[in-house]
Amino acid sequence: MSLLNEILSFNQKFVSEKQYEQFITTKFPDKKIVILTCMDARLFELLPKAMNFKNGDVKIVKSAGAVINHPFGGIMRSLLVAVYELNAEEIYIIGHYDCGMGAIQPQEMMQKMINRGITHDTINMLNYSGVKLTDWLRGFEDVHESVRHSVDMVRNHPLLVKEVAVHGLVIDPATGRLEVVE
Ligand SMILES: [Zn+2]
């Protein structure tokens, strides 16, 4: 049985047994907070538990490394939607130690793409079109610096009003211990 079939049969049971009832809430975050954090699987349950958040308390936006690639990309847009449409009053940007984005080597990742069938022609074509793949795929060396950079980008975003507080933190993916950076 494929994983999808397993998921679907569990899902049928979940819904018919009304297990969803304990999660019922609204789309508006009760604590008026939006969090940007990393997609790391260790943070999936740990981060909300370590911050004492339950279903419905906060909006969570995730990206690899909690990085905002572009001031007018999807991540920044999500944060703005949380503020203007869903009443978030505070933004928390939470990086973590031992992040996969800290270890990413763009050249190695491109080699993995080539090994799996992406052609050199495609890579060259993108480079000639002005997509600097090595820059686009690059992670960060220091998580504190990366969080500071993101906080700075959000705080100074032309579409964000000043009364929205922007905090920068780093979480330990083993213990859940938070550290304030900004
Ligand atoms: Zn990470």
Side-chain angles (χ1 to χ4, degrees):
M1 192 158 67
S2 80
L3 197 51
L4 175 61
N5 285 333
E6 246 175 72
I7 290 168
L8 291 176
S9 82
F10 175 88
N11 180 256
Q12 226 168 17
K13 197 163 154 280
F14 180 90
V15 176
S16 67
E17 289 175 359
K18 298 191 176 178
Q19 290 186 48
Y20 55 81
E21 280 177 346
Q22 58 181 313
F23 301 107
I24 289 175
T25 176
T26 72
K27 67 180 178 180
F28 297 99
D30 292 337
K31 295 202 171 156
K32 300 190 189 298
I33 285 172
V34 56
I35 293 173
L36 167 63
T37 190
C38 181
M39 63 185 189
D40 193 298
R42 291 169 294 182
L43 302 181
F44 174 66
E45 280 190 83
L46 178 73
L47 183 136
K49 294 249 160 73
M51 296 181 78
N52 195 26
F53 293 142
K54 60 178 193 334
N55 210 42
D57 276 350
V58 294
K59 316 291 292 181
I60 301 191
V61 179
K62 293 194 168 189
S63 75
V67 168
I68 305 168
N69 260 66
H70 193 282
F72 291 94
I75 300 292
M76 191 61 223
R77 186 175 61 163
S78 300
L79 297 178
L80 291 171
V81 168
V83 168
Y84 290 108
E85 295 293 329
L86 300 160
N87 306 335
E89 291 171 355
E90 285 182 67
I91 299 174
Y92 285 66
I93 295 167
I94 310 180
H96 69 99
Y97 293 111
D98 189 33
C99 184
M101 277 310 273
I104 280 197
Q105 301 295 333
Q107 292 294 351
E108 280 174 26
M109 187 166 161
M110 280 158 69
Q111 189 54 51
K112 286 178 190 169
M113 292 172 181
I114 288 162
N115 295 347
R116 292 178 64 172
I118 304 297
T119 63
H120 283 283
D121 281 353
T122 300
I123 304 264
N124 290 338
M125 185 265 289
L126 287 169
N127 276 325
Y128 292 134
S129 311
V131 182
K132 293 254 178 301
L133 285 177
T134 45
D135 290 347
W136 188 56
L137 296 172
R138 178 163 292 121
F140 50 78
E141 265 145 45
D142 175 33
V143 67
H144 295 89
E145 195 190 309
S146 169
V147 166
R148 259 186 226 113
H149 178 259
S150 295
V151 167
D152 205 52
M153 188 193 288
V154 175
R155 269 189 195 149
N156 294 303
H157 197 280
L159 297 179
L160 190 74
V161 280
K162 295 292 168 218
E163 63 255 32
V164 175
V166 187
H167 310 285
L169 295 95
V170 173
I171 190 167
D172 183 327
T175 64
R177 191 175 72 88
L178 284 168
E179 190 187 313
V180 178
V181 176
E182 275 280 336

